[in-house]
Amino acid sequence: MSTYKLEKHLATRLKNMTCSAIRDMLKQAGRPGFISLGGGYPDPESFPIDIIRSLRILVKRKYKNSIYQYGRSEGLIQLFEQLIPFFKRTNRSIKATPHTISITTGSQQALAILAMMFIDPGDYIAVETPTYLGALQAFNPFQPRYIELEVDDEGIVPDKLDKTISKYPNIKFIYIIPTFQNPTGKTLSLDRRVRIAKILRKHDVIAVEDDPYSELRYEAEPIPSLQSLIPEKVIHLFTFSKTFAPDFRIGGIVAPPEVCETATMIKQGLDLYTSNYNQAMVTEYLAGGHLEPHLKKIINLYKPRRDLMMSLIDTYFPLEISHTNPLGGMFVWAYSNNSKTIHINTILDEALKKNVGFVPGNPFFARKKNSPFSMRLNFTNQSNSNIEKGIKILGQILHKYL
Amino acid sequence: MSTYKLEKHLATRLKNMTCSAIRDMLKQAGRPGFISLGGGYPDPESFPIDIIRSLRILVKRKYKNSIYQYGRSEGLIQLFEQLIPFFKRTNRSIKATPHTISITTGSQQALAILAMMFIDPGDYIAVETPTYLGALQAFNPFQPRYIELEVDDEGIVPDKLDKTISKYPNIKFIYIIPTFQNPTGKTLSLDRRVRIAKILRKHDVIAVEDDPYSELRYEAEPIPSLQSLIPEKVIHLFTFSKTFAPDFRIGGIVAPPEVCETATMIKQGLDLYTSNYNQAMVTEYLAGGHLEPHLKKIINLYKPRRDLMMSLIDTYFPLEISHTNPLGGMFVWAYSNNSKTIHINTILDEALKKNVGFVPGNPFFARKKNSPFSMRLNFTNQSNSNIEKGIKILGQILHKYL
């Protein structure tokens, strides 16, 4: 009788995979009194429950039984019609047609589809340093080699990007989060977007522009997307997880038609299609004009939390720790380039013991060894008083070790 | 200025991918008067709309705002509790614990996850001939080599399976649909299940048992699953797309704990998690005892359609065409081993012109060249009168060419 040893049978790609540090950490977050500054979560108190209820009634009335039937892999036609004006908002300034939109099951699936579409083992892709760890999780199984793009306070540095592409002309794509970046909260300036568009125009390379956060702007004027500057070379990702509710699982891409067609083919193998009903809910959310007032409400909720978090870090963290000053989004990035001797996991272990969570910086780096002492701090999913408690406790721990 | 040529940049795995023949064909199905015998669709008239409405009220009352928040990659805990008794139904006879269940976004995602988990390019996997084309679509991008398992009226032939595994000891898994198979409607007998369990026990190999249809039995007694005979060597797939509604996108696997853990890790990269709300709807559907009466209703709807379709084929198709006699499920398989000279696509083209659709057999074969002249005919998603019209038209076309 032969037993079965899974380890022996796993595909090679699994060797590059690990569970998300965030999800592992959040398993502890269920404890009573636990203050998680860890996830990239909206505040559930902000979910527009009354609007959702009225939309359910509307969807029931407007859509027939067939809404519960298998649907189109590309997405619901009615949603496409609502997305076109949504994309025209000044924070995106996206030009789209029904042939340049594909709906995905959350924007995480868009990342997985793009990884399947482009990456052969050993292919080069370029990412900001640090970058979104969920993107690394989507890309890793396809075994790319990462090029880390240098970033300063205004985002990636165009001249260095140009040199990088010249050095690696077969690079498959450049993955960037230009607005309120995850994890740093930084924003790529308009001037740099224009220069990067020029660089893309020069080379045979495409950029993936991930934009989950640009609706969550707390100050200053919106900046048009990179897609608006060079739509033929950009795959733009959007999601309604931060501006409606994550659970509808509605995201997608805007991209050249041949990219959308290929994405649809890949999506068929991954999950056939995304729930029509949930797409209809987003459709009617947009059609009913609910986005704008809801954004006002959550911006009023989140902006003071951001302000509070930044000021508490200034007050309670050691001087050695710097932090970013995000104009929007969900995160403040706190870091020190001089604390290599203290391992961030020591701080995390101590914090978890004191019922406070954050995400250590290293999983956000394609090459972990390049990571400074750093932590990603979320300010959207805790009350002001919890943010205050949490940052004070983290400050005490940091003072003890730094 | 450099243009971007997608074709040049695609990953190698895309060369093995094609769009689903079903989905391509169904694009024509929107035409008025079109009779599709093509999809594997339930009848939307069967969807339990009133139950869905009452469940929505219940879910709103029982679950808090946090149901709309990001959820666990493994699945909703409340659903696990309802699944354990569901798995005990005689048609499945599955033993499961919370550590041996993973929820997926439809069972298509389970197939994609297993492909990612096991298949390196060139790896062997074994499939029935013919097999479910959606499984081939999920597996193809990972570039397996297919071993085709010979099938007779009782399903795969155990002795030949034993020889096959002995010949290919590194085979990654055996993919089978033992009950009301897609596309043929055939069922693997209990005797053969017992013999296959013995063969699995002997070898270091695992079976993937896909079971979307076993609740849709129209006659004879249920047969326990292969999983119930050898749970340590079987990954059992389930879905609520056929017994509730496809649009909730709730499926999953029952598998050894280490397989579930790995599946969760892969799922994080694919779409983070499956909608909590939709999982809650399935939870309350099961908890409320709604499955049993709904199954009665759809069995009463589908059984006469199956009977009618089989009798119409006997009446109107040329004698040369044989068909299977499925005891359940959604499909009749009509085929001829003597009609190699007439290409099935000639029949399909003619049928589409006359507003009738079916799925030609060849995409269901891992190696297309082995496919006989064959067609998959769905009887669940058309009225009796449409089934009659459709089969008569197909009969006329077949008589013209055969």
Side-chain angles (χ1 to χ4, degrees):
Chain A
M1 184 175 137
S2 150
T3 58
Y4 181 78
K5 300 239 184 303
L6 177 67
E7 192 64 36
K8 189 185 131 190
H9 297 272
L10 292 176
T12 314
R13 72 182 66 80
L14 273 287
K15 294 187 181 127
N16 291 320
M17 289 186 74
T18 51
C19 265
S20 159
I22 297 178
R23 290 189 169 257
D24 284 354
M25 206 255 328
L26 288 172
K27 282 187 183 167
Q28 314 204 33
R31 292 198 306 243
F34 188 85
I35 298 171
S36 173
L37 307 174
Y41 289 16
D43 189 332
E45 294 306 316
S46 81
F47 297 147
I49 300 298
D50 292 340
I51 293 169
I52 290 171
R53 184 172 44 190
S54 71
L55 293 177
R56 290 204 188 283
I57 294 165
L58 182 64
V59 166
K60 185 177 155 40
R61 204 171 58 220
K62 272 181 79 166
Y63 297 78
K64 305 217 172 100
N65 281 13
S66 61
I67 195 83
Y68 291 112
Q69 184 63 286
Y70 287 102
R72 296 194 333 143
S73 305
E74 296 87 344
L76 194 72
I77 288 171
Q78 292 94 324
L79 177 54
F80 283 32
E81 285 163 14
Q82 294 304 323
L83 284 173
I84 309 235
F86 166 78
F87 290 139
K88 286 185 183 153
R89 288 173 56 91
T90 51
N91 60 303
R92 291 190 189 261
S93 311
I94 297 280
K95 285 184 195 86
T97 73
H99 300 287
T100 63
I101 304 172
S102 293
I103 300 301
T104 58
T105 306
S107 62
Q108 184 66 33
Q109 190 184 53
L111 295 167
I113 286 173
L114 295 174
M116 284 191 76
M117 195 183 303
F118 289 109
I119 308 172
D120 275 324
D123 276 353
Y124 287 103
I125 62 176
V127 298
E128 289 157 305
T129 180
T131 188
Y132 173 48
L133 69 81
L136 295 176
Q137 265 196 296
F139 303 155
N140 282 345
F142 300 95
Q143 301 170 279
R145 283 182 286 189
Y146 289 105
I147 300 162
E148 292 189 295
L149 298 172
E150 201 177 308
V151 169
D152 64 18
D153 283 346
E154 286 180 72
I156 52 176
V157 183
D159 287 348
K160 293 192 176 165
L161 176 67
D162 195 15
K163 277 182 198 149
T164 300
I165 302 178
S166 300
K167 193 173 163 192
Y168 301 96
N170 292 323
I171 195 169
K172 282 301 183 79
F173 59 79
I174 297 151
Y175 171 73
I176 55 174
I177 309 150
T179 308
F180 318 139
Q181 203 245 14
N182 184 354
T184 64
K186 291 176 184 176
T187 294
L188 188 69
S189 64
L190 177 58
D191 173 58
R192 289 207 179 171
R193 292 178 195 218
V194 171
R195 285 163 67 194
I196 290 171
K198 273 187 195 154
I199 293 165
L200 290 177
R201 199 158 278 126
K202 199 169 88 178
H203 298 280
D204 184 21
V205 69
I206 205 160
V208 175
E209 176 181 43
D210 197 359
D211 184 12
Y213 305 114
S214 71
E215 280 84 17
L216 303 182
R217 175 176 284 278
Y218 310 130
E219 59 186 87
E221 289 305 304
I223 303 179
S225 65
L226 188 61
Q227 197 268 6
S228 71
L229 302 171
I230 178 165
E232 72 277 19
K233 291 267 182 86
V234 172
I235 300 170
H236 182 89
L237 272 57
F238 62 95
T239 174
F240 289 92
S241 292
K242 320 297 181 189
T243 53
F244 188 17
D247 205 58
F248 295 104
R249 313 303 301 119
I250 304 298
I253 65 171
V254 182
E258 60 272 31
V259 172
C260 284
E261 281 162 30
T262 310
T264 297
M265 187 173 74
I266 293 171
K267 182 172 171 62
Q268 287 181 8
L270 287 179
D271 69 354
L272 294 181
Y273 81 104
T274 294
S275 165
N276 290 318
Y277 181 91
N278 287 352
Q279 290 187 71
M281 288 292 286
V282 172
T283 303
E284 299 305 326
Y285 180 71
L286 293 172
H290 299 295
L291 176 68
E292 203 55 58
H294 182 61
L295 283 180
K296 272 196 191 127
K297 190 179 140 193
I298 58 178
I299 286 169
N300 284 339
L301 188 67
Y302 294 162
K303 182 180 188 296
R305 292 181 181 178
R306 176 203 63 158
D307 296 343
L308 178 68
M309 181 175 273
M310 292 198 297
S311 109
L312 289 165
I313 292 172
D314 289 336
T315 308
Y316 292 105
F317 278 20
L319 278 175
E320 190 189 327
I321 305 274
S322 307
H323 67 83
T324 53
N325 296 286
L327 302 178
M330 295 192 152
F331 309 107
V332 173
W333 178 250
Y335 61 98
S336 164
N337 292 316
N338 309 317
S339 299
K340 283 273 180 186
T341 54
I342 307 293
H343 199 281
I344 187 70
N345 284 351
T346 308
I347 307 296
L348 180 60
D349 289 344
E350 191 94 354
L352 291 175
K353 275 181 207 154
K354 298 194 167 162
N355 259 358
V356 178
F358 65 90
V359 186
N362 37 320
F364 296 95
F365 290 81
R367 297 178 185 176
K368 310 285 172 267
K369 68 176 169 59
N370 294 348
S371 62
F373 181 93
S374 49
M375 49 215 296
R376 191 191 72 174
L377 298 164
N378 168 271
F379 54 78
T380 58
N381 191 21
Q382 293 291 339
S383 65
N384 284 351
S385 71
N386 275 353
I387 290 172
E388 186 158 354
K389 273 190 226 162
I391 295 292
K392 272 186 183 169
I393 289 169
L394 290 180
Q396 285 162 5
I397 298 167
L398 288 166
H399 274 289
K400 191 170 139 195
Y401 286 96
L402 287 190
Chain B
M1 184 176 137
S2 150
T3 57
Y4 181 78
K5 300 242 184 300
L6 177 66
E7 192 64 37
K8 189 184 132 191
H9 296 273
L10 292 177
T12 315
R13 73 182 65 81
L14 273 288
K15 292 184 183 132
N16 290 320
M17 290 186 72
T18 51
C19 266
S20 159
I22 298 179
R23 290 189 169 256
D24 283 356
M25 204 249 341
L26 287 172
K27 283 189 182 164
Q28 313 204 33
R31 292 199 305 242
F34 189 85
I35 298 171
S36 173
L37 308 173
Y41 289 14
D43 188 332
E45 293 306 316
S46 82
F47 296 146
I49 300 298
D50 291 341
I51 294 169
I52 290 171
R53 183 172 45 188
S54 72
L55 293 176
R56 291 205 188 282
I57 294 164
L58 183 64
V59 167
K60 184 176 155 41
R61 206 171 58 220
K62 272 181 79 166
Y63 297 78
K64 305 218 173 97
N65 281 14
S66 61
I67 195 81
Y68 292 113
Q69 185 62 287
Y70 287 101
R72 296 191 335 140
S73 305
E74 297 86 344
L76 194 72
I77 287 170
Q78 293 94 323
L79 177 55
F80 282 31
E81 285 163 15
Q82 294 304 321
L83 284 174
I84 309 241
F86 166 77
F87 290 139
K88 286 185 183 152
R89 290 174 55 91
T90 51
N91 61 304
R92 290 189 190 263
S93 310
I94 296 280
K95 285 186 194 86
T97 73
H99 300 288
T100 63
I101 304 171
S102 293
I103 300 302
T104 58
T105 307
S107 63
Q108 184 67 34
Q109 190 183 53
L111 294 167
I113 287 173
L114 295 174
M116 282 191 77
M117 194 183 301
F118 289 109
I119 308 171
D120 275 325
D123 276 353
Y124 287 104
I125 63 175
V127 299
E128 290 157 304
T129 179
T131 189
Y132 172 48
L133 69 79
L136 295 176
Q137 265 196 299
F139 302 155
N140 282 344
F142 299 95
Q143 301 169 282
R145 282 182 287 187
Y146 290 106
I147 300 162
E148 291 189 296
L149 298 173
E150 201 178 306
V151 170
D152 65 18
D153 282 346
E154 286 181 71
I156 54 174
V157 184
D159 287 348
K160 293 193 175 163
L161 176 67
D162 195 14
K163 278 183 198 147
T164 300
I165 302 179
S166 299
K167 193 173 164 192
Y168 301 95
N170 292 323
I171 195 168
K172 283 301 183 78
F173 60 78
I174 297 152
Y175 171 73
I176 56 174
I177 309 148
T179 307
F180 319 139
Q181 202 244 16
N182 184 354
T184 64
K186 290 177 185 175
T187 294
L188 189 68
S189 65
L190 177 57
D191 174 58
R192 290 206 178 173
R193 291 178 196 218
V194 171
R195 286 161 68 195
I196 289 170
K198 274 187 194 153
I199 293 165
L200 290 177
R201 200 157 278 125
K202 200 167 87 178
H203 298 280
D204 184 21
V205 68
I206 206 160
V208 175
E209 177 182 42
D210 197 357
D211 184 12
Y213 305 115
S214 70
E215 281 82 19
L216 303 182
R217 177 177 282 279
Y218 310 131
E219 59 186 85
E221 290 303 306
I223 303 178
S225 65
L226 187 63
Q227 198 267 7
S228 70
L229 302 172
I230 178 165
E232 71 276 20
K233 290 269 182 84
V234 172
I235 300 169
H236 181 89
L237 272 57
F238 62 94
T239 174
F240 289 92
S241 291
K242 321 295 181 189
T243 54
F244 189 19
D247 205 59
F248 295 103
R249 314 302 302 120
I250 303 299
I253 66 172
V254 183
E258 60 271 32
V259 172
C260 284
E261 282 162 30
T262 311
T264 297
M265 187 173 73
I266 293 171
K267 183 172 170 62
Q268 286 180 8
L270 286 179
D271 68 354
L272 293 180
Y273 82 104
T274 294
S275 164
N276 290 318
Y277 181 91
N278 287 351
Q279 290 187 72
M281 289 292 285
V282 172
T283 303
E284 299 305 327
Y285 180 71
L286 292 173
H290 299 295
L291 176 68
E292 204 55 58
H294 183 61
L295 283 180
K296 273 196 192 127
K297 191 178 139 193
I298 57 179
I299 286 168
N300 284 339
L301 188 68
Y302 295 161
K303 183 181 186 298
R305 291 181 182 179
R306 176 204 62 158
D307 296 343
L308 178 68
M309 181 177 271
M310 292 198 297
S311 108
L312 290 166
I313 292 173
D314 289 336
T315 309
Y316 293 106
F317 277 21
L319 278 175
E320 189 189 329
I321 304 275
S322 307
H323 68 82
T324 53
N325 296 286
L327 302 177
M330 295 192 153
F331 308 107
V332 174
W333 177 249
Y335 61 99
S336 165
N337 293 314
N338 310 317
S339 299
K340 282 274 181 186
T341 52
I342 307 294
H343 200 281
I344 188 69
N345 284 350
T346 308
I347 307 295
L348 180 61
D349 288 345
E350 191 94 352
L352 291 175
K353 276 181 208 155
K354 296 191 168 163
N355 259 359
V356 178
F358 66 90
V359 186
N362 40 318
F364 296 95
F365 290 82
R367 296 178 185 174
K368 311 283 171 270
K369 68 177 169 53
N370 294 349
S371 63
F373 180 93
S374 50
M375 48 216 296
R376 191 190 73 175
L377 298 164
N378 168 270
F379 55 78
T380 58
N381 191 20
Q382 292 291 339
S383 66
N384 285 350
S385 70
N386 274 353
I387 290 173
E388 187 160 352
K389 272 189 226 163
I391 295 293
K392 272 187 185 169
I393 289 168
L394 290 180
Q396 284 162 5
I397 298 167
L398 288 166
H399 275 289
K400 190 169 137 192
Y401 285 95
L402 287 190

